[in-house]
Amino acid sequence: MTNDVYALDSTKGNYAYLIFGEEIILVDTGRPGQGKGILNDLKSMDIEPKDVKHILITHHDVDHIGSLAFLQQATGAKIWASKEDIPYIYGEKNRPGIKKLISYIMRVKKPENINSYPEDGKIGNIEAISTPGHTPGHVCFIYNGVLFAGDLFRTSNGKIALMKSFMNWNDSVLKESLVKIDNFDFEWICPAHGEPLKRNGQLKELY
Protein backbone atom coordinates (compact mmCIF):
# COMPACT_ATOMS: atom_id res chain seq x y z
CA MET A 1 0.00 0.00 0.00
CA THR A 2 1.80 3.18 1.19
CA ASN A 3 4.67 3.73 3.58
CA ASP A 4 2.59 5.79 5.99
CA VAL A 5 -0.64 3.74 6.21
CA TYR A 6 -0.88 0.37 7.97
CA ALA A 7 -3.74 -2.11 8.32
CA LEU A 8 -3.40 -3.48 11.85
CA ASP A 9 -3.03 -7.26 11.92
CA SER A 10 -4.90 -7.66 15.20
CA THR A 11 -8.08 -6.30 13.60
CA LYS A 12 -8.10 -8.32 10.39
CA GLY A 13 -11.71 -8.84 9.35
CA ASN A 14 -12.78 -5.43 10.67
CA TYR A 15 -9.63 -3.46 10.03
CA ALA A 16 -8.45 -0.51 12.05
CA TYR A 17 -5.73 1.54 10.34
CA LEU A 18 -2.73 3.53 11.52
CA ILE A 19 -1.68 6.72 9.73
CA PHE A 20 1.78 8.24 10.06
CA GLY A 21 1.03 11.81 9.02
CA GLU A 22 1.85 15.07 10.76
CA GLU A 23 0.81 13.09 13.85
CA ILE A 24 0.11 9.41 14.45
CA ILE A 25 -3.60 8.75 13.95
CA LEU A 26 -5.73 5.64 14.48
CA VAL A 27 -8.79 5.05 12.30
CA ASP A 28 -11.42 2.99 14.19
CA THR A 29 -10.79 0.70 17.16
CA GLY A 30 -12.17 -2.75 16.39
CA ARG A 31 -14.47 -4.89 18.50
CA PRO A 32 -14.58 -5.00 22.30
CA GLY A 33 -11.44 -6.78 23.50
CA GLN A 34 -9.30 -5.93 20.47
CA GLY A 35 -7.66 -2.94 22.14
CA LYS A 36 -4.83 -4.93 23.65
CA GLY A 37 -4.01 -6.42 20.26
CA ILE A 38 -3.91 -2.94 18.77
CA LEU A 39 -1.48 -1.84 21.49
CA ASN A 40 0.65 -4.90 20.71
CA ASP A 41 0.64 -3.91 17.03
CA LEU A 42 1.84 -0.44 18.03
CA LYS A 43 4.55 -1.93 20.24
CA SER A 44 5.81 -4.05 17.34
CA MET A 45 6.32 -0.79 15.43
CA ASP A 46 8.07 0.86 18.41
CA ILE A 47 5.11 3.19 18.98
CA GLU A 48 4.13 4.11 22.51
CA PRO A 49 0.38 4.43 23.21
CA LYS A 50 0.80 8.13 24.05
CA ASP A 51 2.28 8.70 20.57
CA VAL A 52 -1.22 8.25 19.08
CA LYS A 53 -2.65 11.77 19.06
CA HIS A 54 -6.05 11.29 17.39
CA ILE A 55 -8.58 8.47 17.01
CA LEU A 56 -10.95 8.96 14.08
CA ILE A 57 -14.20 6.99 14.04
CA THR A 58 -15.91 6.19 10.73
CA HIS A 59 -19.25 5.29 12.35
CA HIS A 60 -20.97 4.03 15.49
CA ASP A 61 -21.07 0.26 14.87
CA VAL A 62 -19.78 -1.92 17.71
CA ASP A 63 -16.99 -3.46 15.60
CA HIS A 64 -15.58 0.03 15.03
CA ILE A 65 -15.97 1.62 18.48
CA GLY A 66 -15.72 -1.52 20.61
CA SER A 67 -12.27 -0.71 22.01
CA LEU A 68 -12.59 3.07 21.85
CA ALA A 69 -12.93 3.69 25.60
CA PHE A 70 -10.00 1.34 26.33
CA LEU A 71 -7.76 3.02 23.75
CA GLN A 72 -8.85 6.51 24.78
CA GLN A 73 -7.63 5.74 28.28
CA ALA A 74 -4.45 4.02 27.09
CA THR A 75 -3.39 6.71 24.62
CA GLY A 76 -4.94 9.96 25.83
CA ALA A 77 -5.73 10.63 22.16
CA LYS A 78 -8.34 13.14 21.04
CA ILE A 79 -11.47 11.32 19.84
CA TRP A 80 -13.41 12.38 16.75
CA ALA A 81 -16.74 11.19 15.35
CA SER A 82 -19.66 12.68 13.43
CA LYS A 83 -22.25 14.67 15.34
CA GLU A 84 -24.96 12.35 13.95
CA ASP A 85 -23.30 9.17 15.26
CA ILE A 86 -21.98 10.47 18.60
CA PRO A 87 -25.35 9.87 20.41
CA TYR A 88 -25.18 6.19 19.40
CA ILE A 89 -21.61 5.89 20.68
CA TYR A 90 -22.61 7.45 24.01
CA GLY A 91 -25.65 5.15 24.22
CA GLU A 92 -28.08 8.08 24.13
CA LYS A 93 -29.76 6.60 21.04
CA ASN A 94 -30.47 2.93 20.34
CA ARG A 95 -29.03 1.38 17.22
CA PRO A 96 -31.74 0.20 14.80
CA GLY A 97 -32.67 -3.34 13.82
CA ILE A 98 -30.17 -6.15 14.29
CA LYS A 99 -27.55 -3.65 15.48
CA LYS A 100 -29.60 -3.10 18.63
CA LEU A 101 -29.31 -6.82 19.41
CA ILE A 102 -25.58 -6.81 18.63
CA SER A 103 -25.04 -3.89 21.01
CA TYR A 104 -26.81 -5.84 23.78
CA ILE A 105 -24.69 -8.92 23.17
CA MET A 106 -21.38 -7.07 22.74
CA ARG A 107 -21.43 -4.65 25.64
CA VAL A 108 -19.27 -1.65 24.96
CA LYS A 109 -17.75 0.65 27.58
CA LYS A 110 -18.63 4.26 26.78
CA PRO A 111 -15.84 6.71 25.88
CA GLU A 112 -15.75 10.30 27.08
CA ASN A 113 -15.28 13.70 25.46
CA ILE A 114 -15.93 12.87 21.82
CA ASN A 115 -15.34 15.78 19.44
CA SER A 116 -17.47 16.22 16.34
CA TYR A 117 -15.64 16.70 13.07
CA PRO A 118 -15.00 20.34 12.14
CA GLU A 119 -17.10 21.96 9.43
CA ASP A 120 -14.23 21.91 6.95
CA GLY A 121 -13.58 18.22 7.66
CA LYS A 122 -9.88 18.76 8.27
CA ILE A 123 -7.98 16.90 10.99
CA GLY A 124 -4.40 17.89 10.23
CA ASN A 125 -3.84 16.78 6.64
CA ILE A 126 -6.66 14.22 6.72
CA GLU A 127 -10.02 15.06 5.16
CA ALA A 128 -13.20 13.72 6.78
CA ILE A 129 -16.04 13.38 4.25
CA SER A 130 -19.66 12.90 5.28
CA THR A 131 -20.94 9.69 3.63
CA PRO A 132 -24.21 8.75 5.36
CA GLY A 133 -26.13 5.63 4.47
CA HIS A 134 -24.59 2.77 6.39
CA THR A 135 -25.26 4.88 9.49
CA PRO A 136 -26.72 8.41 9.73
CA GLY A 137 -23.29 9.93 10.33
CA HIS A 138 -20.92 7.58 8.50
CA VAL A 139 -17.67 9.30 7.51
CA CYS A 140 -14.88 8.35 5.10
CA PHE A 141 -11.36 9.78 5.21
CA ILE A 142 -8.88 10.65 2.50
CA TYR A 143 -5.19 10.97 3.25
CA ASN A 144 -2.30 11.00 0.79
CA GLY A 145 -4.18 9.21 -1.98
CA VAL A 146 -5.80 6.66 0.34
CA LEU A 147 -9.55 6.36 0.97
CA PHE A 148 -10.53 4.91 4.34
CA ALA A 149 -13.97 3.61 3.39
CA GLY A 150 -15.28 2.35 6.74
CA ASP A 151 -18.44 0.39 5.89
CA LEU A 152 -19.56 2.50 2.93
CA PHE A 153 -18.72 -0.70 1.03
CA ARG A 154 -16.54 -3.77 1.49
CA THR A 155 -14.07 -5.66 -0.70
CA SER A 156 -14.09 -9.35 -1.55
CA ASN A 157 -11.81 -11.30 -3.88
CA GLY A 158 -10.30 -8.12 -5.26
CA LYS A 159 -13.66 -6.49 -5.99
CA ILE A 160 -15.84 -3.86 -4.34
CA ALA A 161 -19.26 -4.89 -3.02
CA LEU A 162 -22.08 -3.30 -1.03
CA MET A 163 -22.75 -4.20 2.57
CA LYS A 164 -25.87 -6.29 3.19
CA SER A 165 -28.94 -4.07 3.02
CA PHE A 166 -30.22 -5.04 6.48
CA MET A 167 -27.00 -3.65 7.96
CA ASN A 168 -27.51 -0.23 6.36
CA TRP A 169 -29.49 2.66 7.82
CA ASN A 170 -30.64 3.91 4.39
CA ASP A 171 -29.68 2.32 1.06
CA SER A 172 -30.73 5.24 -1.15
CA VAL A 173 -28.75 7.73 0.93
CA LEU A 174 -25.78 5.34 0.83
CA LYS A 175 -25.85 5.30 -2.97
CA GLU A 176 -25.78 9.09 -2.99
CA SER A 177 -22.66 8.86 -0.80
CA LEU A 178 -21.08 6.42 -3.26
CA VAL A 179 -21.58 8.94 -6.06
CA LYS A 180 -20.12 11.67 -3.85
CA ILE A 181 -17.00 9.75 -2.85
CA ASP A 182 -16.36 8.62 -6.42
CA ASN A 183 -15.73 12.27 -7.34
CA PHE A 184 -12.76 12.50 -4.98
CA ASP A 185 -9.18 11.77 -5.96
CA PHE A 186 -7.56 8.71 -4.39
CA GLU A 187 -5.52 5.72 -5.57
CA TRP A 188 -5.97 3.17 -2.77
CA ILE A 189 -9.09 1.93 -0.99
CA CYS A 190 -8.87 0.73 2.61
CA PRO A 191 -12.14 -0.86 3.76
CA ALA A 192 -12.96 -2.16 7.22
CA HIS A 193 -14.19 -5.46 5.80
CA GLY A 194 -12.02 -7.03 3.12
CA GLU A 195 -8.50 -6.27 1.98
CA PRO A 196 -7.11 -2.96 0.72
CA LEU A 197 -7.01 -2.65 -3.05
CA LYS A 198 -6.18 -0.17 -5.80
CA ARG A 199 -8.96 1.94 -7.23
CA ASN A 200 -10.02 0.70 -10.66
CA GLY A 201 -13.33 2.35 -11.48
CA GLN A 202 -15.50 -0.30 -9.83
CA LEU A 203 -17.36 2.20 -7.66
CA LYS A 204 -19.63 3.19 -10.55
CA GLU A 205 -20.93 -0.38 -10.67
CA LEU A 206 -22.41 0.08 -7.19
CA TYR A 207 -24.63 3.02 -8.13
Side-chain angles (χ1 to χ4, degrees):
M1 204 163 33
T2 69
N3 291 330
D4 48 4
V5 174
Y6 290 85
L8 296 179
D9 290 337
S10 64
T11 60
K12 187 171 184 178
N14 57 298
Y15 276 124
Y17 292 91
L18 200 66
I19 299 172
F20 292 89
E22 294 173 352
E23 298 175 295
I24 296 177
I25 292 174
L26 179 66
V27 176
D28 288 333
T29 66
R31 299 187 301 270
Q34 288 189 309
K36 289 183 179 178
I38 290 173
L39 292 183
N40 285 335
D41 284 342
L42 298 182
K43 186 176 180 181
S44 72
M45 292 183 273
D46 294 321
I47 299 169
E48 296 291 330
K50 62 180 175 55
D51 294 334
V52 178
K53 301 304 182 185
H54 300 273
I55 298 176
L56 309 184
I57 298 299
T58 57
H59 63 291
H60 68 63
D61 285 353
V62 171
D63 57 337
H64 294 256
I65 59 97
S67 293
L68 178 55
F70 173 85
L71 290 168
Q72 181 181 41
Q73 188 170 19
T75 64
K78 192 170 186 177
I79 310 301
W80 298 87
S82 69
K83 64 180 185 295
E84 295 87 358
D85 272 21
I86 286 173
Y88 296 95
I89 300 173
Y90 280 147
E92 297 166 354
K93 283 187 177 180
N94 287 325
R95 295 174 172 88
I98 192 172
K99 293 182 180 183
K100 185 175 182 180
L101 176 62
I102 292 170
S103 65
Y104 280 135
I105 295 170
M106 299 176 72
R107 291 290 181 176
V108 178
K109 186 177 178 183
K110 303 297 186 293
E112 300 175 348
N113 302 321
I114 304 174
N115 301 276
S116 60
Y117 292 115
E119 288 296 320
D120 66 0
K122 300 290 187 181
I123 308 291
N125 51 359
I126 295 170
E127 185 174 5
I129 301 161
S130 175
T131 50
H134 184 68
T135 66
H138 188 284
V139 172
C140 291
F141 309 107
I142 292 180
Y143 165 75
N144 199 20
V146 178
L147 171 72
F148 299 88
D151 284 2
L152 183 62
F153 53 82
R154 59 188 174 88
T155 66
S156 178
N157 298 317
K159 293 186 177 181
I160 296 169
L162 292 174
M163 306 297 288
K164 298 294 185 183
S165 184
F166 68 87
M167 295 299 289
N168 292 330
W169 166 69
N170 187 308
D171 280 340
S172 62
V173 171
L174 185 143
K175 291 199 175 182
E176 291 173 6
S177 292
L178 289 168
V179 174
K180 177 181 180 179
I181 207 70
D182 200 21
N183 287 316
F184 283 83
D185 184 31
F186 52 89
E187 181 182 4
W188 282 94
I189 292 170
C190 288
H193 304 284
E195 296 299 318
L197 51 75
K198 274 201 167 187
R199 182 180 190 173
N200 58 8
Q202 289 186 60
L203 271 172
K204 285 182 173 56
E205 298 174 12
L206 301 184
Y207 62 83

